[in-house]
Amino acid sequence: MTTAAIKDDAAESVMQINAHVKDKIIPIIVSSDNNFMSTSWGTICQKLVENSFTVDSKLVLQMMIELSPKERFTHYLIRYGDDNATIFCVDWSSADISGYARVPLVEGYIEANMTLEPRKGGPLQSVAKPHLPLQPVEMEDPPSSVDVDLRINKLVPKHSSNGVTAIDHATAHTAFPSSASRTSVVYLQEHDSFPGSVRLFKTVPMGSKNHRPPGTDSPSATAALGTKHDTPPVIAETASSSTQSKSKSSKKKKRKDRSKSNDDNIESGTQSPDKKTKTSRKEDMKNPRLVDCTSGAAITEKSHDLLDDSDKGGLKSIVDPYFSQNYPGVMDAGFRVLDYLYLYPSHAPWVEGAGLLLAAESCYGNDPMINLQRSHYLRQSFAKTDLSSIPVDDNTRVCFVYGAGYGSVTFGTVEEQMAYREWTADMQIIADAIEKELVNKFSTDLSVDVNVHLNELEVVSFYSSKRITFHRDQSYSPEGEFCSNNCQKQHTCTCIFVLGDDRVLEFQLFLGKKKVNHPEAQKMIRLTNGALFFLHPKDEEDCLRQMFQMNNQTHFKHRNNGVKEKGVQLSIGLVFRTCVQTRTVYKGTGQLVLDSEPTETTHRCKRKLNAYEKCWTKNLMDECLKKKYLSTKERHYR
């Protein structure tokens, strides 16, 4: 048994590593100064490679194909330095595709070193080595951002078709040392319809059984390497037998201590490994399927269901920091949307026209506060018209909505002050680009519905002390079921186009209402100007996550503490969703059409809003926000 205790809030200090892999840039966020000193570049490189297919399903297999363009191997041993390594077990597809020729399949393995190399001119250009920490000892303050390139050096020459080994001395490199306890195994299955794309994958965490590339037990498999080995290459465990014995006794003592943990801790149990069973490698090659190479046991159909989740339960949400560079028109369109809001006076939701819509919000019936002034983030809503629905008259329209259900209670906006203004051409420009990226990034992810059209936009703004606490965008029942009153379509991503100053989105794994204490249970993602963030639907779902070895369902929540410099900074997100709930609104204003009698809370909120519009602070607030926006636009709009 392992114990995960309630977790303290993370430090705000973060380092963003921008890894350039082919035409992709994969950001890695490392938090806290302690992690800068204790995390090595080899560890970060392993994390990058093992998680890269959550960013692009083709990256890993493309790297393997480049290592051996004329032959496909069943296994790949990747070394990162600092004793870190990964064994990739690949189930290559044999499906026939018109116009596509598959290269021969070799039963064996190939090795390579992979490293992260800081770009020239950067602060870590000459001091970043696989075995060294991210922050050198002699460096007092770590850089907030580092750009690195992924370097791949092949170690084992491929086996030629005529049986003669051709060694390219230009690619001869010394293998990085590896340890069995720091080697993980990743099973990949190639998609039948999309050559070079990963359909399913599963990761087995680091452990002492991961000591050699599977399939090297026989002389034929060894010969397939193109270099004759008397014995299969073994990843040696650095610890001595006496040390291992002490480690085992220490583990027993820890297990005993953990059994006495109090009720405030979250218990996470481990599953006993399956018994070893013998399998024929020849049969495996005739009937391609993923094989558990640490035990020799074939993965069952139930395991394939787990593989459909696309990973081992870690965070799946990702960010593309270069979205606006790939789609130049979206930046112009985004700031035109913001001009409509920030360059005009604010006004009540029953008044038509440009400008920020005011609302007196009362969360859970508390005293109402003006939305521009409260600490909760500011949001403005826009929505497409549902052309399949018939409005009640010519003065109304039926549109898709978000936050008009249970969300209106938690956010605090009474329905009488909710409005969904018309969707514009600029919003459609951005939506079209995002829909293309959804297909590019998630077409092979079976847990994401990409055959959708974005139809609702929330413009959320963070300035001064505005923030949002840990939450989920969607509601789930106590049994973990997706609630029917959710406005957003199930299995769809929430897509955020970021404009303005940086802010950090923090994710935390929860079991019920308790935080889970685990190295992978907390993640931070930096949102920068022009970036596109995807909130993956699986992150918010209640499910069993293999990585954490827990017997209970868990889910991720996220929060945002706003901008760092409260006085001058402004960070805005254009949040696009695919919604299924619709409401009738008035044309022009977008205000909800209601047939119910106003409550006492509604009357209090209206009195508060009317009083604010007559107060001198309104004009002062409008001018302050306008200046803040123009300053932000000048810094970031090029």
Side-chain angles (χ1 to χ4, degrees):
M1 299 290 288
T2 58
T3 303
I6 296 178
K7 194 175 180 67
D8 295 331
D9 291 342
E12 293 185 1
S13 180
V14 297
M15 178 191 295
Q16 176 166 319
I17 302 172
N18 299 313
H20 296 252
V21 185
K22 297 184 179 297
D23 59 340
K24 300 290 183 181
I25 299 178
I26 306 174
I28 304 172
I29 302 294
V30 183
S31 62
S32 84
D33 295 335
N34 291 333
N35 286 338
F36 301 156
M37 299 295 294
S38 62
T39 303
S40 69
W41 284 98
T43 301
I44 288 295
C45 188
Q46 181 178 28
K47 181 177 180 180
L48 166 73
V49 174
E50 291 184 1
N51 292 287
S52 61
F53 32 71
T54 63
V55 177
D56 189 319
S57 62
K58 293 184 177 181
L59 280 181
V60 168
L61 292 185
Q62 283 178 349
M63 289 189 288
M64 295 175 180
I65 291 172
E66 289 182 1
L67 285 172
S68 180
K70 296 182 179 180
E71 293 171 317
R72 297 172 296 166
F73 285 82
T74 55
H75 302 90
Y76 296 78
L77 172 56
I78 309 301
R79 302 173 182 267
Y80 312 100
D82 194 32
D83 289 343
N84 295 283
T86 304
I87 299 171
F88 286 96
C89 308
V90 185
D91 180 11
W92 295 97
S93 174
S94 58
D96 293 329
I97 297 179
S98 177
Y100 182 79
R102 298 188 184 276
V103 298
L105 180 64
V106 176
E107 184 180 358
Y109 76 97
I110 195 169
E111 293 185 60
N113 285 343
M114 288 193 183
T115 56
L116 293 176
E117 181 178 308
R119 294 196 158 186
K120 292 182 179 180
L124 302 177
Q125 176 184 342
S126 58
V127 295
K129 305 295 181 183
H131 64 285
L132 295 178
L134 298 181
Q135 180 184 350
V137 177
E138 63 273 14
M139 183 177 290
E140 294 183 1
D141 296 318
S144 60
S145 179
V146 179
D147 285 274
V148 299
D149 292 298
L150 181 66
R151 301 300 185 194
I152 305 174
N153 297 313
K154 183 169 62 176
L155 299 175
V156 179
K158 67 181 186 302
H159 173 61
S160 60
S161 58
N162 61 3
V164 178
T165 300
I167 300 178
D168 183 359
H169 293 283
T171 60
H173 295 269
T174 302
F176 289 143
S178 300
S179 167
S181 62
R182 303 186 71 172
T183 299
S184 55
V185 178
V186 177
Y187 303 93
L188 302 176
Q189 185 182 76
E190 185 184 23
H191 203 289
D192 288 335
S193 303
F194 302 96
S197 295
V198 174
R199 176 176 178 265
L200 305 173
F201 68 87
K202 178 182 180 182
T203 301
V204 176
M206 299 176 182
S208 58
K209 287 189 177 182
N210 305 334
H211 62 286
R212 70 180 65 201
T216 59
D217 297 330
S218 65
S220 62
T222 305
L225 299 176
T227 302
K228 185 176 180 179
H229 296 280
D230 294 331
T231 58
V234 174
I235 299 175
E237 182 59 80
T238 56
S240 64
S241 58
S242 61
T243 304
Q244 291 174 358
S245 176
K246 291 179 181 180
S247 175
K248 288 180 181 179
S249 61
S250 176
K251 288 181 180 178
K252 289 181 180 179
K253 185 177 179 180
K254 287 181 179 180
R255 291 193 191 102
K256 189 174 181 180
D257 293 339
R258 285 169 185 154
S259 64
K260 298 178 181 180
S261 59
N262 57 50
D263 294 337
D264 290 336
N265 291 336
I266 299 174
E267 299 292 339
S268 59
T270 59
Q271 296 180 350
S272 59
D274 296 333
K275 294 182 179 180
K276 291 187 177 182
T277 59
K278 296 181 179 180
T279 58
S280 169
R281 290 293 303 167
K282 293 183 178 179
E283 291 180 2
D284 292 339
M285 299 310 297
K286 291 180 181 178
N287 302 288
R289 65 187 187 276
L290 296 182
V291 176
D292 183 349
C293 300
T294 58
S295 66
I299 294 177
T300 63
E301 292 300 321
K302 183 177 181 180
S303 297
H304 276 285
D305 292 339
L306 293 174
L307 291 173
D308 283 341
D309 291 339
S310 299
D311 69 0
K312 53 189 177 181
L315 189 74
K316 298 165 68 65
S317 297
I318 59 173
V319 64
D320 177 2
Y322 295 91
F323 169 68
S324 63
Q325 295 184 20
N326 296 328
Y327 298 89
V330 298
M331 183 73 77
D332 297 334
F335 275 103
R336 284 195 294 268
V337 172
L338 300 185
D339 287 346
Y340 177 84
L341 294 173
Y342 279 94
L343 298 184
Y344 300 89
S346 62
H347 56 83
W350 44 82
V351 177
E352 185 176 351
L356 293 168
L357 293 187
L358 296 171
E361 296 167 343
S362 174
C363 186
Y364 294 107
N366 294 324
D367 290 339
M369 296 183 64
I370 300 301
N371 57 350
L372 304 186
Q373 299 175 325
R374 64 183 296 210
S375 61
H376 214 57
Y377 71 91
L378 174 69
R379 75 179 185 186
Q380 304 282 291
S381 304
F382 299 85
K384 278 186 177 180
T385 299
D386 180 11
L387 300 177
S388 64
S389 299
I390 302 175
V392 294
D393 55 46
D394 293 339
N395 297 320
T396 61
R397 66 185 183 98
V398 179
C399 69
F400 298 95
V401 297
Y402 175 81
Y406 183 74
S408 62
V409 178
T410 56
F411 194 82
T413 307
V414 294
E415 287 195 329
E416 285 77 4
Q417 297 185 19
M418 296 180 68
Y420 296 84
R421 288 185 275 190
E422 287 276 6
W423 189 272
T424 67
D426 286 322
M427 297 170 191
Q428 191 59 47
I429 290 173
I430 304 171
D432 289 341
I434 294 176
E435 288 171 8
K436 291 179 182 178
E437 283 302 295
L438 281 170
V439 175
N440 291 341
K441 288 180 168 58
F442 301 106
S443 59
T444 58
D445 189 335
L446 304 181
S447 62
V448 177
D449 184 358
V450 298
N451 298 316
V452 296
H453 291 290
L454 303 170
N455 54 25
E456 204 274 347
L457 168 65
E458 299 287 322
V459 180
V460 298
S461 301
F462 293 87
Y463 55 85
S464 299
S465 60
K466 285 191 173 294
R467 57 184 176 81
I468 186 170
T469 56
F470 278 122
H471 70 287
R472 285 190 284 183
D473 284 5
Q474 311 305 321
S475 299
Y476 290 83
S477 69
E479 295 74 31
E481 298 294 328
F482 188 82
C483 293
S484 59
N485 66 339
N486 281 316
C487 294
Q488 185 170 338
K489 185 178 181 181
Q490 191 175 11
H491 305 308
T492 60
C493 288
T494 298
C495 311
I496 306 178
F497 178 38
V498 184
L499 295 173
D501 295 306
D502 293 4
R503 53 190 165 96
V504 175
L505 196 59
E506 181 182 347
F507 284 84
Q508 173 67 55
L509 189 71
F510 280 80
L511 173 56
K513 295 183 178 180
K514 295 180 180 179
K515 296 179 181 178
V516 175
N517 188 4
H518 186 280
E520 297 296 320
Q522 187 181 56
K523 296 290 183 180
M524 293 187 181
I525 297 179
R526 184 180 294 277
L527 304 181
T528 58
N529 183 61
L532 178 61
F533 169 75
F534 298 93
L535 176 61
H536 198 290
K538 292 295 291 184
D539 287 338
E540 293 196 325
E541 286 187 14
D542 288 291
C543 62
L544 296 176
R545 302 176 191 273
Q546 292 176 308
M547 172 190 294
F548 304 100
Q549 300 179 335
M550 302 178 69
N551 298 323
N552 298 308
Q553 292 187 341
T554 57
H555 60 266
F556 279 98
K557 290 183 179 182
H558 59 280
R559 73 176 178 184
N560 198 306
N561 286 324
V563 293
K564 187 175 182 180
E565 297 182 32
K566 307 300 183 184
V568 297
Q569 291 189 331
L570 171 65
S571 181
I572 303 173
L574 277 62
V575 186
F576 289 85
R577 293 182 174 89
T578 300
C579 295
V580 293
Q581 301 283 4
T582 60
R583 296 287 294 270
T584 300
V585 300
Y586 292 106
K587 289 182 179 179
T589 64
Q591 190 180 9
L592 289 178
V593 176
L594 304 174
D595 54 8
S596 58
E597 292 295 325
T599 64
E600 176 56 34
T601 300
T602 302
H603 288 303
R604 286 194 294 120
C605 290
K606 189 170 184 178
R607 289 194 296 267
K608 179 71 174 182
L609 181 54
N610 289 337
Y612 175 78
E613 286 196 290
K614 298 175 183 178
C615 183
W616 61 272
T617 56
K618 175 191 177 300
N619 294 334
L620 184 63
M621 188 67 179
D622 286 350
E623 189 63 24
C624 176
L625 289 178
K626 182 179 179 179
K627 289 182 178 179
K628 189 186 296 287
Y629 168 66
L630 289 175
S631 175
T632 302
K633 184 178 179 181
E634 182 179 359
R635 289 195 300 273
H636 298 286
Y637 184 37
R638 300 288 184 269

